Amino acid sequence: MSNVVFHRALTGQRWDGVEVLAYKEAGTTFQSVTRQVLFEGDPALCVQLRYFEVGPGGHTTLERHQHVHLVWISRGRGRVYVGGEFFELAKGDVLSIPTLTWHQFRAPLNSPLGFHCLVAADRDKPSLPSDQDWRELTQSREAAAFLRR
Ligand code: MN
């Protein structure tokens, strides 16, 4: 049996045979985000490749975890908070989210932000900021204006 994974690209950041899923189960820690799993992992390549799309004005969960993300921007533009730094994002940009580093992506109000994200198939669950973490994270005016939880 062949182990080839082939998902033909369709229009509008969709792939043949790939379902558009909710970003996470439920919750108020994110807004307007979808997830597509393009590669589930293989014993000889223990990574997963996902595509996320953040709708206009939406944001991903503010979180941190041991595992590292490798992200490349595939659609639109946006902004990301990574461990106290902000980066303006545009299609083609590549960035990593280091281990145990708080991060949150946001799309502009009028357009979506799409990105591919590579992760280890075996990875820890994200943790969310405690009240104390939140106070520390939002000390700067820029972070307080940007971050959501
Ligand atoms: Mn994450």
Side-chain angles (χ1 to χ4, degrees):
M1 194 182 112
S2 168
N3 291 319
V4 174
V5 172
F6 179 73
H7 296 301
R8 187 176 297 285
L10 308 173
T11 55
Q13 298 298 103
R14 293 291 315 274
W15 289 267
D16 190 28
V18 178
E19 196 181 351
V20 179
L21 305 167
Y23 167 53
K24 290 177 180 173
E25 294 298 310
T28 57
T29 61
F30 62 91
Q31 190 183 318
S32 306
V33 188
T34 60
R35 170 171 61 100
Q36 296 178 73
V37 180
L38 302 175
F39 182 70
E40 295 267 15
D42 179 292
L45 183 61
C46 301
V47 298
Q48 292 181 354
L49 179 63
R50 299 90 48 83
Y51 174 75
F52 295 98
E53 199 158 293
V54 185
H59 59 85
T60 60
T61 302
L62 175 60
E63 62 178 31
R64 67 176 175 181
H65 34 67
Q66 294 273 355
H67 65 273
V68 170
H69 291 310
L70 182 60
V71 169
W72 58 101
I73 307 305
S74 316
R75 182 181 186 191
R77 58 196 177 82
R79 198 160 187 241
V80 65
Y81 172 94
V82 188
E85 288 189 272
F86 293 90
F87 298 92
E88 299 297 329
L89 302 171
K91 187 176 172 181
D93 291 348
V94 175
L95 81 152
S96 71
I97 308 294
T99 187
L100 292 176
T101 304
W102 295 110
H103 55 283
Q104 185 166 52
F105 290 83
R106 291 186 72 87
L109 289 174
N110 57 358
S111 63
L113 168 68
F115 58 91
H116 284 77
C117 178
L118 189 71
V119 286
D122 182 15
R123 59 187 182 277
D124 62 320
K125 290 244 188 302
S127 52
L128 304 179
S130 66
D131 290 345
Q132 179 61 32
D133 292 329
W134 179 252
R135 280 192 292 275
E136 290 171 13
L137 286 165
T138 53
Q139 297 255 314
S140 89
R141 185 180 303 184
E142 193 176 21
F146 181 87
L147 295 176
R148 299 284 184 275
R149 71 164 180 174

